Amino acid sequence: AQSVTQLDSHVSVSEGTPVLLRCNYSSSYSPSLFWYVQHPNKGLQLLLKYTSAATLVKGINGFEAEFKKSETSFHLTKPSAHMSDAAEYFCVVSVGSSGSARQLTFGSGTQLTVLP
Amino acid sequence: DADVTQTPRNRITKTGKRIMLECSQTKGHDRMYWYRQDPGLGLRLIYYSFDVKDINKGEISDGYSVSRQAQAKFSLSLESAIPNQTALYFCATSDSWGSRYEQYFGPGTRLTVT
């Protein structure tokens, strides 16, 4: 079984300060990990993904995440928040071999507020 | 033009009514999915389809049915809607390698059952 826990339901930062959104996962096998972002009244957009290549993954809009197997974590960071980063962020885990019924398991989401 | 479209975008219906949500995609993907989103619960998988002849139940399929009319179309039906089916519904697609690669999401359908 696989699961993912987003440790903060809400995070508030000031514009220009760093962003840290925390995610821990549980998986019996080597996982693929994703971060998606959802802006108000929009669908989900992929920010970045880890699929067993480099452990530090760079995504769009200046976001990056580091896969730490020993800590079972995949935290999302950005050096400097922008007002347009205000959205809900989902950490997602997927396990299973190629061609099998791989499914995504979503975290409960972290709402990021960026203060002026 | 959007790669994954959903209709309607918003719907209010009454308890007991039958309702269908539709999803179309132009990405050429063979895999399609239906999720529902509830506050504080993330997205949960309702049904998924790996091709036109393959339909599978997800985590929360009770009260729902689906139809894969073509590779590009995947519809979700609520045969007799109930208030706790009020939620935001998303359709998604992926290629044959499944979720090792990302899923592409539609804009969502907000359904309210009164």
Side-chain angles (χ1 to χ4, degrees):
Chain A
Q2 62 197 42
S3 66
V4 58
T5 301
Q6 292 184 243
L7 299 170
D8 306 290
S9 58
H10 292 86
V11 170
S12 183
V13 300
S14 296
E15 190 174 21
T17 64
V19 175
L20 170 63
L21 306 184
R22 298 182 294 164
C23 173
N24 286 347
Y25 71 91
S26 172
S27 171
S28 301
Y29 303 97
S30 296
S32 295
L33 293 157
F34 308 81
W35 275 99
Y36 281 85
V37 61
Q38 183 182 24
H39 290 278
N41 300 313
K42 300 284 188 181
L44 279 75
Q45 180 185 19
L46 181 70
L47 274 180
L48 49 80
K49 61 186 178 186
Y50 166 78
T51 55
S52 75
T55 56
L56 182 62
V57 181
K58 295 188 183 298
I60 61 172
N61 301 332
F63 284 95
E64 62 181 36
E66 186 172 8
F67 173 69
K68 292 186 176 181
K69 186 175 181 179
S70 61
E71 298 176 11
T72 61
S73 69
F74 190 57
H75 301 333
L76 181 70
T77 61
K78 183 174 181 178
S80 176
H82 190 273
M83 296 297 290
S84 62
D85 294 329
E88 188 157 24
Y89 292 78
F90 293 95
C91 182
V92 183
V93 64
S94 170
V95 296
S97 57
S98 299
S100 68
R102 302 191 88 178
Q103 297 180 24
L104 302 184
T105 298
F106 284 76
S108 56
T110 298
Q111 184 68 46
L112 176 64
T113 300
V114 181
L115 304 172
Chain B
D1 290 339
D3 295 318
V4 184
T5 58
Q6 293 183 232
T7 56
R9 294 293 312 279
N10 289 281
R11 180 72 182 267
I12 300 174
T13 192
K14 294 185 182 299
T15 298
K17 294 291 188 182
R18 183 179 188 274
I19 185 168
M20 178 181 289
L21 309 183
E22 298 185 342
C23 176
S24 294
Q25 54 113 347
T26 59
K27 299 193 72 67
H29 289 166
D30 49 1
R31 299 185 173 194
M32 298 186 74
Y33 311 79
W34 276 104
Y35 294 89
R36 65 175 280 175
Q37 182 182 22
D38 299 279
L41 294 179
L43 274 71
R44 293 179 292 168
L45 184 64
I46 305 172
Y47 270 96
Y48 60 101
S49 169
F50 283 176
D51 63 41
V52 175
K53 297 181 180 180
D54 180 83
I55 303 289
N56 303 279
K57 292 183 177 181
E59 179 186 354
I60 52 165
S61 59
D62 288 348
Y64 301 94
S65 62
V66 292
S67 174
R68 185 83 183 265
Q69 301 94 326
Q71 186 192 37
K73 295 184 182 297
F74 192 37
S75 60
L76 175 72
S77 294
L78 287 66
E79 296 301 326
S80 180
I82 56 177
N84 75 3
Q85 291 177 315
T86 293
L88 187 56
Y89 290 85
F90 286 102
C91 174
T93 73
S94 69
D95 62 25
S96 294
W97 293 101
S99 52
R100 183 167 181 81
Y101 300 91
E102 64 263 32
Q103 293 184 8
Y104 295 83
F105 287 82
T109 294
R110 186 168 298 279
L111 176 65
T112 303
V113 183
T114 62

